[in-house]
Amino acid sequence: MRDTIAKAYQYILQAAGTYGALAALACFAGLPARLSAGQSVIVPLAVTATALLIAVTLMRPSLVPGWFLSPRRPAQLLPVLSGNGLLPVLYVLPCLGAAAVLSRPEALSRVLATGLAAVPFGLFGLALPAGLALCLRPEHGDGAAQAPVVPLRPQMPRLSPEALAELRHQRNA
């Protein structure tokens, strides 16, 4: 069951990365129009570039840190939960920029932007319980159910008969 959850978790992260990359590229396509309209593009450019970098990282499992891609211990719970909780917030601006590229009326653009931004929240919303389950459910062969370690009795050096006789003599004296 853990393997199925791990595979689903990885596919969800890849899908979120692919969607984020597409939204970031669409947002980049709309930046020249914003620049020609006299709007500031520094913050959208920085946020979208960061979102694109993270999206490309999520698309390539070899680039994702092992503790995030396949968590195995409860100690990895905080980074996995915070990552899955904060990444959709990073994708909001590229989704808004992607909706602005279509140049629709404001009401329709707002609904479209909300719909586009809902997809990463849904994907990471699915990844959140999967990451939680992977952190809290141990693997079968990870040693969690090991037998307790019993320490060995200390090995005392054997004394020669003369040393034993001397110890007896000292004790009786």
Side-chain angles (χ1 to χ4, degrees), residues 1-11 69-70 130 134:
M1 183 67 174
R2 186 182 202 293
D3 294 334
T4 306
I5 295 171
K7 280 281 193 207
Y9 180 69
Q10 291 175 5
Y11 288 140
L69 188 63
S70 57
L134 290 173

Side-chain angles (χ1 to χ4, degrees), residues 32-86:
R34 292 180 81 176
L35 190 59
S36 65
Q39 296 176 349
S40 175
V41 294
I42 294 173
V43 173
L45 182 66
V47 172
T48 304
T50 304
L52 181 63
L53 178 68
I54 291 173
V56 169
T57 303
L58 287 175
M59 287 171 47
R60 303 276 310 173
S62 61
L63 298 176
V64 180
W67 53 263
F68 190 75
L69 188 63
S70 57
R72 290 181 165 78
R73 297 187 314 253
Q76 297 165 336
L77 187 64
L78 183 63
V80 168
L81 292 180
S82 62
N84 286 319
L86 294 176

Side-chain angles (χ1 to χ4, degrees), residues 51-172:
L52 181 63
L53 178 68
I54 291 173
V56 169
T57 303
L58 287 175
M59 287 171 47
R60 303 276 310 173
S62 61
L63 298 176
V64 180
W67 53 263
F68 190 75
L69 188 63
S70 57
R72 290 181 165 78
R73 297 187 314 253
Q76 297 165 336
L77 187 64
L78 183 63
V80 168
L81 292 180
S82 62
N84 286 319
L86 294 176
L87 284 177
V89 175
L90 180 67
Y91 285 165
V92 168
L93 186 64
C95 290
L96 294 175
V101 168
L102 299 175
S103 300
R104 298 288 175 212
E106 184 181 346
L108 182 61
S109 180
R110 192 176 302 158
V111 170
L112 186 62
T114 303
L116 288 174
V119 175
F121 278 94
L123 288 171
F124 285 110
L126 290 172
L128 195 69
L132 176 69
L134 290 173
C135 287
L136 298 180
R137 184 181 179 121
E139 290 185 82
H140 289 291
D142 69 349
Q146 267 186 346
V149 177
V150 178
L152 297 173
R153 288 181 27 194
Q155 298 294 324
M156 301 296 288
R158 293 207 175 250
L159 296 175
S160 64
E162 296 84 26
L164 279 173
E166 186 176 329
L167 282 175
R168 284 187 198 130
H169 176 66
Q170 287 177 357
R171 193 174 17 162
N172 290 337

